[in-house]
Amino acid sequence: MRALRDHDRAVVTLRRSYAAVPPGQPVRLAKRTSNLFRPRAAVSAPGLDVSGLDGVLAVDPDARTADVQGMCTYENLVDATLPYGLMPLVVPQLRTITLGGAVTGLGIESTSFRNGLPHESVTELDVLTGAGDLVTARPDGEHADLFAAFPNSLGSLGYATRLRIELQPVRHAVVLRNVRFARLEELTDAVGEVILKGEWEGQPVDAMDGVMFSPGEAYLVLATFTDDAPRLSDYTGQDIYYRSLRRRTRDALTAYHYLWRWDTDWFWCSSAFGVQHPVIRRLWPARWRRSDVYHRLVRFEHRHQVAARVDRFRGRPARERVVQDVEIPLEGTADFLRWFARHVGMSPVWLCPLRLREPAGPGSARAWPLYPLQPGRSYVNVGFWGSVPIAEGAADGDVNRSIERAVSEAGGHKSLYSDAYYDREAFDRLYGGDVWRAVRDRYDPDHRLTGLYEKAVARR
């Protein structure tokens, strides 16, 4: 009861801070961490006070549900559910992603080939709307339109204060098989088989992702939850997880370390800060080997352009940030990966199979209008994060624009946490613009919240 009383007080504080934002001023959350990669215009208005909305209100181990505040990080959520032998259906790979952020901005991980995206485990959510109202949205009923449009709305339709989510059982450990493929079509065929059968070579697969180092060297990591595991690995020290795929065909981690296996080195991006060098790694405190620390360093560089100035001094070309996650239909993934290797050339890239969640009972998977993946169709999320030199005569953004064209030609979709260059007509077509406008007009009639296109493309 105390947690609920504290929650109610935190919601009152949030609503007061919203009411205090002057009309016409941008509305933003006052939060310490962010996993966005698009710079935004500075604002003078105070941010919304969400300081009391960062916890887990309750875990019901019998119903396998949790009531969670919108600003609760997955790190804290997992800490609350694992003692019950439970985990969220999808745990995005970085510790400081919040549940509200993963629902309104999308998230993905290795259980997505059977559990879909994080918002598909939400059964109801409380939303502070642009009109300043607090409404409870569910799949059916008065606010079903807001429930359907909230995923991928990026805060343009309101902010989640509480979400009820489904949980799934998890075992103590996770056994991994790192399967190498020399041909990308063989990898995508294997993905299709696992999605169809739920197993590989007779062993069940509970989670699946992979890495492509080159079109001729790619790996699927097939994970099985178990209480009976051999010696367990730990990649929070000198050993680096992604490198293990090339030298180990089998591995095992605790469930906790499996969920955060990518966070220690931000996949492989910690190399940009020298953290993968053995000497620097020993000197760099383990508590700072975290994605949020690396992200703060990136934000510092965005503000002060230290590395960019050094490159100019050394006569090196300017660089374009290419930080994207895209969903490509399974049947077109091999072609897209070869195109990417030829035209962009970044390596490694992350591979995460995805399929909208199938209902437990009769019926088909539901569609989500602001990120319209097709129910019943299999996709692979391709993640690539880094920068490339800007070619002579090219403009900053040209590489990202070419990627957007290639994704659209492949029938895919692109997440909006980073740079986007679509014109408004294309954006509305790809991201449910008509549905978004109808829901926005109902719940934010004065248009106080920044629009979806303005956030994602105009960087407001």
Side-chain angles (χ1 to χ4, degrees):
M1 293 298 294
R2 179 179 177 181
L4 292 177
R5 288 195 299 269
D6 290 345
H7 173 73
D8 290 341
R9 284 194 291 269
V11 172
V12 170
T13 298
L14 170 63
R15 297 181 74 177
R16 285 175 179 165
S17 69
Y18 182 68
V21 177
Q25 289 292 316
V27 178
R28 290 187 183 172
L29 300 179
K31 51 184 293 192
R32 292 177 296 175
T33 63
S34 172
N35 288 284
L36 292 179
F37 269 87
R38 57 177 187 274
R40 297 189 294 173
V43 298
S44 57
L48 301 186
D49 187 345
V50 291
S51 57
L53 294 169
D54 59 357
V56 177
L57 298 173
V59 176
D60 185 335
D62 296 323
R64 293 180 182 172
T65 63
D67 279 50
V68 187
Q69 294 176 302
M71 295 301 299
C72 180
T73 65
Y74 272 91
E75 182 173 29
N76 292 336
L77 176 54
V78 165
D79 285 348
T81 62
L82 278 186
Y84 296 97
L86 299 170
M87 61 174 274
L89 269 62
V90 179
V91 179
Q93 56 273 24
L94 305 182
R95 293 173 183 266
T96 56
I97 292 175
T98 63
L99 177 59
V103 169
T104 194
L106 303 187
I108 193 169
E109 238 294 332
S110 56
T111 56
S112 289
F113 80 97
R114 59 191 180 115
N115 292 338
L117 299 169
H119 60 264
E120 297 189 84
S121 67
V122 176
T123 61
E124 66 176 36
L125 69 162
D126 297 338
V127 179
L128 175 67
T129 70
D133 300 323
L134 189 72
V135 304
T136 299
R138 300 184 178 90
D140 302 303
E142 181 183 2
H143 303 297
D145 56 346
L146 180 59
F147 184 90
F150 197 75
N152 207 41
S153 61
L154 303 180
S156 65
L157 297 177
Y159 299 98
T161 62
R162 178 195 63 90
L163 306 95
R164 179 168 294 166
I165 62 169
E166 300 174 73
L167 305 172
Q168 68 171 4
V170 65
R171 302 296 184 88
H172 168 70
V174 183
V175 172
L176 308 177
R177 288 174 288 170
N178 302 328
V179 184
R180 177 172 176 165
F181 295 90
R183 293 186 64 251
L184 292 172
E185 281 81 5
E186 293 176 353
L187 181 145
T188 56
D189 286 347
V191 169
E193 182 176 339
V194 172
I195 289 174
L196 179 65
K197 298 179 178 178
E199 63 178 33
W200 175 259
E201 295 182 343
Q203 186 171 337
V205 176
D206 296 308
M208 169 173 58
D209 66 344
V211 173
M212 183 188 81
F213 292 95
S214 72
E217 183 190 4
Y219 297 82
L220 274 185
V221 181
L222 306 177
T224 303
F225 300 158
T226 181
D227 288 321
D228 182 20
R231 185 176 67 86
L232 300 172
S233 299
D234 182 349
Y235 293 100
T236 61
Q238 288 295 106
D239 222 357
I240 297 168
Y241 175 68
Y242 80 96
R243 294 181 179 175
S244 71
L245 306 187
R246 289 175 137 169
R247 64 176 196 272
R248 293 183 174 177
T249 58
R250 295 195 174 254
D251 206 348
L253 301 166
T254 66
Y256 180 86
H257 283 132
Y258 175 76
L259 293 176
W260 304 129
R261 66 201 181 283
W262 293 120
D263 188 85
T264 301
D265 285 289
W266 210 9
F267 286 83
W268 33 80
C269 298
S270 66
S271 61
F273 312 104
V275 181
Q276 294 181 24
H277 188 284
V279 175
I280 295 177
R281 197 172 187 85
R282 280 193 293 271
L283 297 175
W284 192 293
R287 68 182 183 278
W288 290 352
R289 295 179 204 151
R290 292 171 52 100
S291 59
D292 55 330
V293 172
Y294 306 137
H295 202 287
R296 285 197 292 271
L297 294 174
V298 169
R299 290 203 303 271
F300 180 87
E301 169 61 22
H302 287 170
R303 286 195 304 270
H304 302 288
Q305 297 291 302
V306 176
R309 287 200 296 268
V310 170
D311 283 345
R312 284 196 298 270
F313 177 77
R314 293 180 174 179
R316 296 173 178 170
R319 300 187 70 85
E320 177 181 344
R321 179 176 60 239
V322 182
V323 177
Q324 305 289 351
D325 277 78
V326 301
E327 268 77 54
I328 305 297
L330 179 62
E331 63 273 16
T333 297
D335 286 340
F336 176 83
L337 289 172
R338 280 191 289 266
W339 175 90
F340 185 87
R342 288 194 307 270
H343 294 278
V344 182
M346 293 170 57
S347 177
V349 300
W350 187 50
L351 308 175
C352 187
L354 161 69
R355 189 178 175 92
L356 291 181
R357 187 181 175 197
E358 299 290 343
S364 59
R366 79 174 288 166
W368 301 90
L370 270 59
Y371 203 69
L373 301 177
Q374 294 181 26
R377 193 175 195 183
S378 299
Y379 297 82
V380 175
N381 174 280
V382 183
F384 38 92
W385 316 290
S387 64
V388 296
I390 298 175
E392 186 175 355
D396 188 13
D398 281 357
V399 173
N400 281 284
R401 290 183 180 92
S402 70
I403 292 169
E404 289 179 351
R405 289 192 296 271
V407 171
S408 293
E409 290 168 1
H413 296 274
K414 187 180 90 165
S415 297
L416 296 174
Y417 68 87
S418 189
D419 302 293
Y421 295 87
Y422 301 105
D423 61 50
R424 190 179 290 271
E425 181 181 357
F427 186 88
D428 283 351
R429 184 179 68 254
L430 292 168
Y431 297 99
D434 290 342
V435 172
W436 175 82
R437 272 188 289 273
V439 176
R440 189 267 304 264
D441 288 346
R442 178 184 178 191
Y443 293 95
D444 184 13
D446 295 328
H447 299 179
R448 291 198 65 195
L449 301 177
T450 305
L452 182 57
Y453 181 84
E454 286 72 22
K455 281 175 173 278
V457 181
R459 301 180 178 180
R460 296 181 190 169

